Amino acid sequence: MSDPQTTNPIAEAKENVAEAVPTPPPQQMPESSAQALKSRLQWGEPALTILDVRDRAAFNQGRITGAIPMPMAELTDRATASLEPQREIYVYGDNDQQSNQAASQLREAGFESVSVLKGGLTAWKAISGPTDGPAEQL
């Protein structure tokens, strides 16, 4: 016979388990247009970082003014060593596929706010966004 003062272990366990919360679906990769980024820079919003994930030779030939070179092979290590996970990051590469891949790597490394600059440097130049590099002197 069981003692009536004894509690039911199953009921007790249920009371101590946190309420189940469904896992949210993975978010779509945010993308930003060149115009949206240019507008933010013109408004003087300093709390963002632009990463150029192309190889060093491409970076040296021309880049968005203020972009930081972080080639794909070094991206995760360099970003985690030098940027805060809450930092707002814009990424561009040779093409949108490379940019999306870089953004995925950064998100997997724990970065919370990563946007792909749709169209990359080509789109940036098309709206006369400021650039640096010897190619601009042609």
Side-chain angles (χ1 to χ4, degrees):
M1 283 202 238
S2 66
D3 179 28
Q5 299 297 323
T6 307
T7 58
N8 180 340
I10 294 174
E12 192 175 300
K14 283 182 179 179
E15 287 177 20
N16 293 327
V17 172
E19 187 175 321
V21 178
T23 304
Q27 293 183 341
Q28 292 285 51
M29 290 191 167
E31 291 183 341
S32 178
S33 69
Q35 188 60 55
L37 177 57
K38 185 177 179 186
S39 294
R40 288 194 66 191
L41 293 172
Q42 287 173 333
W43 277 98
E45 292 188 39
L48 62 90
T49 298
I50 303 169
L51 299 182
D52 184 324
V53 299
R54 300 172 304 150
D55 65 38
R56 190 62 167 199
F59 177 84
N60 289 340
Q61 285 303 306
R63 62 200 163 274
I64 294 173
T65 299
I68 300 170
M70 286 199 190
M72 289 293 291
E74 307 165 13
L75 179 62
T76 304
D77 291 338
R78 289 188 58 199
T80 54
S82 61
L83 299 172
E84 293 295 322
Q86 299 82 15
R87 187 75 176 168
E88 192 168 345
I89 299 171
Y90 288 82
V91 176
Y92 71 95
D94 288 321
N95 53 50
D96 286 345
Q97 181 180 355
Q98 185 185 47
S99 300
N100 285 322
Q101 181 183 357
S104 291
Q105 285 182 19
L106 291 168
R107 287 188 193 98
E108 288 171 15
F111 289 92
E112 300 168 6
S113 181
V114 181
S115 294
V116 171
L117 181 59
K118 192 156 178 56
L121 186 58
T122 303
W124 186 254
K125 286 180 177 182
I127 61 161
S128 301
T131 57
D132 292 324
E136 302 314 308
Q137 298 171 6
L138 298 176

